[in-house]
Amino acid sequence: MKAKSYSRQELIALLRRQGIAPTHQRLEIAHVLFSRCEHLAADQILALVNERHAETSKATVYNTLNLFRDCGLIREVIVDPKRVFYDPNTQPHHHLYNIDTGEITDIPAADLAISGLPDLPPGMVTEGIDIVVRVRTL
Amino acid sequence: MKAKSYSRQELIALLRRQGIAPTHQRLEIAHVLFSRCEHLAADQILALVNERHAETSKATVYNTLNLFRDCGLIREVIVDPKRVFYDPNTQPHHHLYNIDTGEITDIPAADLAISGLPDLPPGMVTEGIDIVVRVRTL
DNA sequence: GCCGCGGTTAGACAAAGTCCAATCTTTGAC
DNA sequence: GTCAAAGATTGGACTTTGTCTAACCGCGGC
Ligand SMILES: [Mn+2]
Ligand SMILES: [Mn+2]
Ligand SMILES: [Zn+2]
Ligand SMILES: [Zn+2]
């Protein structure tokens, strides 16, 4: 996943396409998420957004992350029981999780195959499959 | 995974084998975990253990779950950002997670294969691979 | 009976996240 | 451009999950 540098106009278009009003705070948060391609937790995003000049509250960060998630702009990564990480990469992919450092790395789903999954109980539909490879530094 | 009904003596032996002193509280918690084969959160275990007669504290439940986990008697399941579930099934297996009901079901690892995983960065060793199939009720 | 040690406990604490009512911004109609 | 309605933001209170601590309990060994 490339760390494309989105212009302000591109970010505005990105939000509008989802029917999201491009407020200053949402643009700042989108910028933090999409300019670097990392897996960030809410408190890290809050800190990054207010780095230069405090102007976005904790409530707005959480509101916005939930909004972006509901619109499919970002996804949640559940690997650490302590906090949720937000992933700007919404392509199907999986994760390598270093349990010592907490580092999360993408694993492309392209060349990966799972076989032998049992059939789903009737009336259920798959929402997604998440694979987490937990690694330790030797 | 069968819901074997362990006798008090079997539970005592199970704990002693791991060098764990079989106190009354630990036996109660072990009983709750191993007699039913579900994925329970700490607060559910606390409630079940104190169902008849309050005698085990929150601190002891958490102490004991962490102790059992460190000894490999149980494992944690990380699927819900809100709480950790404890799994008495320590065989390699995966999970089906119903995002609507919160229900967690085991998927045996036996007849399941993953191909195409990239090589690990040098100096890293795999601790485990967790697959979560997220399903929705149609 | 007393000691020592491991286990248990209530309650204080911490961190992640939600909620609320007051306030501020955005937006579109004019 | 003005303005009002709709929508967004905010500080701070609140909730939930989990940890920590210091006092206390209980049991085996002497
Ligand atoms: Mn700014
Ligand atoms: Mn009892
Ligand atoms: Zn990712
Ligand atoms: Zn399981």
Short mmCIF file of all heavy atoms in Angstrom, two decimals, chain B residues 23 25-26 55 57 59-60 63, chain C residues 7-12 17-18:
data_model
loop_
_atom_site.label_atom_id
_atom_site.label_comp_id
_atom_site.label_asym_id
_atom_site.label_seq_id
_atom_site.Cartn_x
_atom_site.Cartn_y
_atom_site.Cartn_z
N THR B 23 -7.08 -24.05 44.85
CA THR B 23 -7.92 -23.39 45.84
C THR B 23 -9.39 -23.52 45.46
O THR B 23 -9.71 -23.84 44.32
CB THR B 23 -7.57 -21.90 45.94
OG1 THR B 23 -7.90 -21.28 44.70
CG2 THR B 23 -6.10 -21.69 46.22
N GLN B 25 -11.60 -21.17 44.96
CA GLN B 25 -11.99 -20.24 43.90
C GLN B 25 -11.49 -20.73 42.53
O GLN B 25 -12.22 -20.67 41.54
CB GLN B 25 -11.39 -18.85 44.17
CG GLN B 25 -12.06 -18.08 45.29
CD GLN B 25 -11.51 -18.42 46.66
OE1 GLN B 25 -10.85 -19.44 46.85
NE2 GLN B 25 -11.79 -17.57 47.63
N ARG B 26 -10.25 -21.18 42.48
CA ARG B 26 -9.70 -21.64 41.21
C ARG B 26 -10.47 -22.85 40.69
O ARG B 26 -10.68 -22.99 39.47
CB ARG B 26 -8.22 -21.97 41.37
CG ARG B 26 -7.36 -20.73 41.50
CD ARG B 26 -5.96 -21.07 41.92
NE ARG B 26 -5.11 -19.90 42.00
CZ ARG B 26 -3.90 -19.89 42.51
NH1 ARG B 26 -3.36 -21.01 42.97
NH2 ARG B 26 -3.19 -18.78 42.54
N GLU B 55 -18.81 -15.83 46.37
CA GLU B 55 -17.64 -16.21 47.14
C GLU B 55 -16.32 -15.96 46.39
O GLU B 55 -15.27 -16.29 46.90
CB GLU B 55 -17.72 -17.67 47.56
CG GLU B 55 -17.96 -18.63 46.41
CD GLU B 55 -18.25 -20.05 46.90
OE1 GLU B 55 -18.25 -20.26 48.12
OE2 GLU B 55 -18.44 -20.91 46.05
N SER B 57 -14.12 -12.99 44.14
CA SER B 57 -14.06 -11.57 43.77
C SER B 57 -13.63 -11.38 42.33
O SER B 57 -13.05 -12.27 41.70
CB SER B 57 -13.07 -10.85 44.67
OG SER B 57 -11.76 -11.25 44.34
N ALA B 59 -11.23 -9.49 41.33
CA ALA B 59 -9.75 -9.57 41.25
C ALA B 59 -9.29 -11.00 41.09
O ALA B 59 -8.40 -11.29 40.29
CB ALA B 59 -9.14 -8.93 42.49
N THR B 60 -9.91 -11.91 41.81
CA THR B 60 -9.51 -13.31 41.73
C THR B 60 -9.85 -13.91 40.38
O THR B 60 -9.08 -14.69 39.83
CB THR B 60 -10.15 -14.13 42.87
OG1 THR B 60 -9.65 -13.64 44.10
CG2 THR B 60 -9.83 -15.59 42.75
N ASN B 63 -7.15 -12.56 38.11
CA ASN B 63 -5.89 -13.22 38.46
C ASN B 63 -5.86 -14.64 37.92
O ASN B 63 -4.87 -15.07 37.32
CB ASN B 63 -5.72 -13.29 39.99
CG ASN B 63 -5.41 -11.94 40.60
OD1 ASN B 63 -5.04 -11.00 39.90
ND2 ASN B 63 -5.56 -11.84 41.91
P DG C 7 -0.37 -19.04 45.12
OP1 DG C 7 -0.77 -20.23 44.37
OP2 DG C 7 0.27 -17.87 44.47
"O5'" DG C 7 -1.66 -18.50 45.91
"C5'" DG C 7 -2.44 -19.43 46.63
"C4'" DG C 7 -3.74 -18.78 47.08
"O4'" DG C 7 -3.44 -17.78 48.07
"C3'" DG C 7 -4.50 -18.06 45.96
"O3'" DG C 7 -5.85 -18.47 46.07
"C2'" DG C 7 -4.29 -16.59 46.23
"C1'" DG C 7 -4.05 -16.55 47.75
N9 DG C 7 -3.16 -15.51 48.23
C8 DG C 7 -1.91 -15.19 47.76
N7 DG C 7 -1.35 -14.19 48.40
C5 DG C 7 -2.29 -13.85 49.37
C6 DG C 7 -2.25 -12.84 50.37
O6 DG C 7 -1.34 -12.04 50.62
N1 DG C 7 -3.41 -12.84 51.14
C2 DG C 7 -4.47 -13.69 50.96
N2 DG C 7 -5.50 -13.54 51.79
N3 DG C 7 -4.52 -14.64 50.03
C4 DG C 7 -3.40 -14.65 49.28
P DT C 8 -6.98 -17.83 45.18
OP1 DT C 8 -8.04 -18.85 45.08
OP2 DT C 8 -6.38 -17.21 43.97
"O5'" DT C 8 -7.50 -16.66 46.12
"C5'" DT C 8 -8.16 -17.01 47.34
"C4'" DT C 8 -8.73 -15.76 47.99
"O4'" DT C 8 -7.63 -14.89 48.36
"C3'" DT C 8 -9.65 -14.93 47.09
"O3'" DT C 8 -10.88 -14.79 47.77
"C2'" DT C 8 -8.90 -13.60 46.90
"C1'" DT C 8 -8.00 -13.56 48.12
N1 DT C 8 -6.72 -12.80 47.98
C2 DT C 8 -6.42 -11.79 48.87
O2 DT C 8 -7.16 -11.48 49.78
N3 DT C 8 -5.21 -11.17 48.67
C4 DT C 8 -4.29 -11.45 47.69
O4 DT C 8 -3.24 -10.83 47.62
C5 DT C 8 -4.67 -12.51 46.78
C7 DT C 8 -3.74 -12.89 45.67
C6 DT C 8 -5.85 -13.13 46.96
P DT C 9 -12.09 -14.06 47.04
OP1 DT C 9 -13.34 -14.60 47.59
OP2 DT C 9 -11.84 -14.08 45.58
"O5'" DT C 9 -11.93 -12.57 47.57
"C5'" DT C 9 -11.97 -12.33 48.98
"C4'" DT C 9 -11.75 -10.86 49.25
"O4'" DT C 9 -10.35 -10.54 49.09
"C3'" DT C 9 -12.51 -9.93 48.30
"O3'" DT C 9 -13.57 -9.31 49.01
"C2'" DT C 9 -11.47 -8.92 47.80
"C1'" DT C 9 -10.23 -9.21 48.62
N1 DT C 9 -8.96 -9.16 47.85
C2 DT C 9 -7.95 -8.32 48.27
O2 DT C 9 -8.03 -7.61 49.23
N3 DT C 9 -6.83 -8.36 47.49
C4 DT C 9 -6.61 -9.14 46.36
O4 DT C 9 -5.55 -9.09 45.74
C5 DT C 9 -7.72 -9.98 45.98
C7 DT C 9 -7.61 -10.85 44.77
C6 DT C 9 -8.84 -9.96 46.74
P DA C 10 -14.80 -8.68 48.24
OP1 DA C 10 -16.05 -9.14 48.88
OP2 DA C 10 -14.60 -8.82 46.79
"O5'" DA C 10 -14.58 -7.14 48.63
"C5'" DA C 10 -14.34 -6.79 49.99
"C4'" DA C 10 -13.84 -5.36 50.06
"O4'" DA C 10 -12.50 -5.29 49.53
"C3'" DA C 10 -14.67 -4.36 49.26
"O3'" DA C 10 -14.83 -3.17 50.03
"C2'" DA C 10 -13.84 -4.14 47.98
"C1'" DA C 10 -12.42 -4.40 48.44
N9 DA C 10 -11.57 -5.06 47.44
C8 DA C 10 -11.94 -6.00 46.53
N7 DA C 10 -10.97 -6.44 45.77
C5 DA C 10 -9.86 -5.74 46.22
C6 DA C 10 -8.49 -5.76 45.83
N6 DA C 10 -8.01 -6.54 44.86
N1 DA C 10 -7.65 -4.94 46.49
C2 DA C 10 -8.13 -4.17 47.46
N3 DA C 10 -9.39 -4.06 47.92
C4 DA C 10 -10.21 -4.88 47.25
P DG C 11 -15.77 -2.01 49.57
OP1 DG C 11 -16.31 -1.38 50.80
OP2 DG C 11 -16.67 -2.47 48.50
"O5'" DG C 11 -14.72 -0.99 48.93
"C5'" DG C 11 -13.51 -0.72 49.64
"C4'" DG C 11 -12.51 -0.08 48.71
"O4'" DG C 11 -11.87 -1.09 47.87
"C3'" DG C 11 -13.11 0.94 47.74
"O3'" DG C 11 -12.25 2.05 47.69
"C2'" DG C 11 -13.12 0.18 46.41
"C1'" DG C 11 -11.83 -0.60 46.55
N9 DG C 11 -11.67 -1.70 45.62
C8 DG C 11 -12.62 -2.54 45.11
N7 DG C 11 -12.13 -3.42 44.27
C5 DG C 11 -10.78 -3.14 44.23
C6 DG C 11 -9.73 -3.74 43.50
O6 DG C 11 -9.78 -4.69 42.71
N1 DG C 11 -8.49 -3.14 43.75
C2 DG C 11 -8.31 -2.08 44.60
N2 DG C 11 -7.07 -1.62 44.73
N3 DG C 11 -9.28 -1.50 45.30
C4 DG C 11 -10.48 -2.08 45.05
P DA C 12 -12.71 3.43 47.11
OP1 DA C 12 -13.18 4.22 48.26
OP2 DA C 12 -13.61 3.20 45.94
"O5'" DA C 12 -11.34 4.06 46.58
"C5'" DA C 12 -10.15 3.82 47.32
"C4'" DA C 12 -8.97 3.76 46.36
"O4'" DA C 12 -8.99 2.51 45.63
"C3'" DA C 12 -8.99 4.87 45.31
"O3'" DA C 12 -7.69 5.41 45.17
"C2'" DA C 12 -9.47 4.16 44.04
"C1'" DA C 12 -8.90 2.77 44.24
N9 DA C 12 -9.63 1.71 43.54
C8 DA C 12 -10.98 1.45 43.62
N7 DA C 12 -11.36 0.43 42.88
C5 DA C 12 -10.20 0.01 42.28
C6 DA C 12 -9.93 -1.04 41.37
N6 DA C 12 -10.87 -1.87 40.90
N1 DA C 12 -8.66 -1.20 40.96
C2 DA C 12 -7.72 -0.37 41.43
N3 DA C 12 -7.84 0.65 42.28
C4 DA C 12 -9.12 0.78 42.67
P DG C 17 -10.52 2.27 21.86
OP1 DG C 17 -10.70 1.09 21.02
OP2 DG C 17 -9.61 3.36 21.44
"O5'" DG C 17 -11.95 2.89 22.16
"C5'" DG C 17 -12.95 2.02 22.68
"C4'" DG C 17 -14.09 2.82 23.23
"O4'" DG C 17 -13.67 3.64 24.33
"C3'" DG C 17 -14.75 3.78 22.25
"O3'" DG C 17 -16.02 3.24 21.92
"C2'" DG C 17 -14.85 5.10 23.01
"C1'" DG C 17 -14.62 4.67 24.45
N9 DG C 17 -14.11 5.71 25.32
C8 DG C 17 -12.89 6.35 25.25
N7 DG C 17 -12.72 7.26 26.18
C5 DG C 17 -13.90 7.19 26.91
C6 DG C 17 -14.30 7.94 28.05
O6 DG C 17 -13.68 8.83 28.64
N1 DG C 17 -15.56 7.56 28.49
C2 DG C 17 -16.34 6.59 27.91
N2 DG C 17 -17.53 6.36 28.46
N3 DG C 17 -15.98 5.89 26.85
C4 DG C 17 -14.75 6.24 26.40
P DT C 18 -17.09 3.95 20.99
OP1 DT C 18 -17.78 2.88 20.27
OP2 DT C 18 -16.42 5.07 20.29
"O5'" DT C 18 -18.12 4.61 22.04
"C5'" DT C 18 -18.71 3.75 23.00
"C4'" DT C 18 -19.67 4.54 23.86
"O4'" DT C 18 -18.93 5.48 24.69
"C3'" DT C 18 -20.68 5.39 23.08
"O3'" DT C 18 -21.94 5.13 23.69
"C2'" DT C 18 -20.19 6.83 23.28
"C1'" DT C 18 -19.55 6.75 24.66
N1 DT C 18 -18.48 7.72 24.96
C2 DT C 18 -18.58 8.51 26.08
O2 DT C 18 -19.54 8.47 26.83
N3 DT C 18 -17.52 9.36 26.30
C4 DT C 18 -16.39 9.48 25.53
O4 DT C 18 -15.50 10.28 25.83
C5 DT C 18 -16.34 8.63 24.37
C7 DT C 18 -15.14 8.68 23.48
C6 DT C 18 -17.37 7.79 24.15
#
